[in-house]
Amino acid sequence: MVSAVLAASDGVKQVICISWGTKYGAPFINRLYAMVKRNITPPFTFTCFTDNRGDLNPEIVCEDLPPLDVENMPVRTKGIWPKGRLWGPKLGNLSGPVLFLDLDLVIVGSLDSFFEVGGPNDVILSRNQTTPFERLGQTSLFRFPVGKLVPLQEKFRADPQGVADKYQFEQRFVTRNAPGGAKFFPRRWVLHFRQDCRWPFPLNYFLTPRLPADARVILFPRDFHPQFAVEGRFGLKGRAAPPLDHIRHMFDPERRRNRPLFRYLRHYIRPTPWVADHWRE
């Protein structure tokens, strides 16, 4: 039996992503498409809204970036506000519910259930695990009907800097202002690598980050790319090193980059092969 969500899109699971500039590009888009294809039951479409179609898998449906019509985008903000392009009245030739995925997440289980929860007119976000005491969604993965978020785009366009200053992150803006209110996917479906997979100190030196059995998607926010987990690097400036080498350098200010000692010790992960198993074309 086709769910009401799928019935609103003629039985097709519609997955979308967005890419602009040079930070990610074709390798990330192609990997994401390959992960979707392995973890979804057809029929489905995968549409990328992008300013560069070079080297993309020919099976990917490419569309130009939707207009946003904001002359001065916010500055000094943590939010990824260009995602506001997705809040417009049209998204290429798509209509009905679409599932948005960030380019740097890792799919580890079936996506089918994301098209079964709620109704076709609902805005449903993954839970934001970094603020457990705030009812906050995560727009690294969320589902919405095309055109439903137009009021958000209009509000943002009227005062981009003011909106960014008030909400800081675009996901907080979406959560607080989604027409009809925001709903959430089950907490354990979408997990945060640092919070839900890596072990706390001192177990992080002995155990490989875990993959919970009920996870479907793993998020890698704030410039912590999946490749860093594969290599055993904690972040952009981290270094892959055996556990004893990392501990040996805890009194070296240069290697610690002046971080407090306990923070330095916590910021260690062992290489994580299961990330590489999933994060591939």
Side-chain angles (χ1 to χ4, degrees):
M1 180 178 178
V2 176
S3 70
V5 175
L6 288 179
S9 55
D10 295 325
V12 178
K13 301 178 181 77
Q14 301 180 137
V15 181
I16 67 171
C17 68
I18 188 170
S19 176
W20 65 89
T22 59
K23 183 175 181 179
Y24 294 106
F28 280 81
I29 300 168
N30 289 336
R31 281 194 199 99
L32 181 61
Y33 170 70
M35 289 187 290
V36 169
K37 187 176 181 179
R38 288 194 297 269
N39 290 284
I40 202 167
T41 303
F44 77 97
T45 59
F46 183 94
T47 303
C48 180
F49 297 92
T50 180
D51 57 1
N52 185 355
R53 306 183 184 201
D55 299 321
L56 291 181
N57 187 315
E59 296 178 4
I60 296 172
V61 178
C62 293
E63 297 276 4
D64 292 338
L65 291 173
L68 186 55
D69 299 327
V70 172
E71 183 175 351
N72 296 311
M73 290 294 288
V75 296
R76 299 180 302 279
T77 178
K78 299 177 181 179
I80 313 299
W81 293 98
K83 282 185 181 180
R85 292 177 177 275
L86 301 173
W87 306 338
K90 294 183 179 180
L91 287 178
N93 294 317
L94 300 174
S95 62
V98 295
L99 181 69
F100 171 80
L101 303 177
D102 263 351
L103 296 177
D104 56 354
L105 53 72
V106 174
I107 302 171
V108 297
S110 175
L111 296 176
D112 291 350
S113 297
F114 291 101
F115 295 92
E116 298 169 357
V117 172
N121 204 39
D122 289 334
V123 178
I124 309 183
L125 299 90
S126 47
R127 287 275 186 180
N128 190 309
Q129 298 92 335
T130 60
T131 56
F133 300 109
E134 180 182 5
R135 188 178 180 273
L136 182 62
Q138 171 66 262
T139 56
S140 290
L141 182 155
F142 75 118
R143 199 188 78 214
F144 62 97
V146 174
K148 181 71 178 282
L149 301 181
V150 168
L152 274 68
Q153 191 178 76
E154 293 175 344
K155 185 173 182 178
F156 174 68
R157 196 164 51 225
D159 185 10
Q161 190 64 55
V163 168
D165 289 344
K166 178 178 179 179
Y167 294 96
Q168 292 189 297
F169 296 95
E170 82 289 344
Q171 57 203 20
R172 181 174 284 116
F173 179 59
V174 174
T175 305
R176 298 285 178 266
N177 295 275
K183 297 182 179 180
F184 300 95
F185 290 117
R187 160 74 173 85
R188 302 301 298 177
W189 285 9
V190 183
L191 301 182
H192 187 293
F193 180 81
R194 284 180 174 171
Q195 295 194 358
D196 297 308
C197 301
R198 73 181 179 102
W199 295 92
F201 175 81
L203 295 177
N204 56 325
Y205 286 88
F206 301 98
L207 300 175
T208 298
R210 58 193 179 273
L211 175 57
D214 48 359
R216 289 160 170 78
V217 173
I218 308 296
L219 304 183
F220 291 79
R222 288 182 178 262
D223 291 323
F224 185 83
H225 295 163
Q227 186 61 35
F228 298 162
V230 173
E231 298 170 0
R233 296 169 54 195
F234 192 83
L236 190 63
K237 298 180 180 180
R239 303 182 185 183
L244 288 179
D245 282 358
H246 193 265
I247 293 173
R248 189 179 300 120
H249 289 98
M250 65 181 176
F251 296 114
D252 183 341
E254 182 180 350
R255 288 292 293 269
R256 275 174 48 195
R257 302 198 309 277
N258 296 317
R259 287 174 293 176
L261 178 59
F262 185 62
R263 184 180 179 188
Y264 171 82
L265 293 173
R266 286 192 300 111
H267 287 190
Y268 178 82
I269 58 169
R270 297 180 67 92
T272 313
W274 60 259
V275 174
D277 293 341
H278 294 280
W279 195 59
R280 59 179 173 82
E281 288 193 37

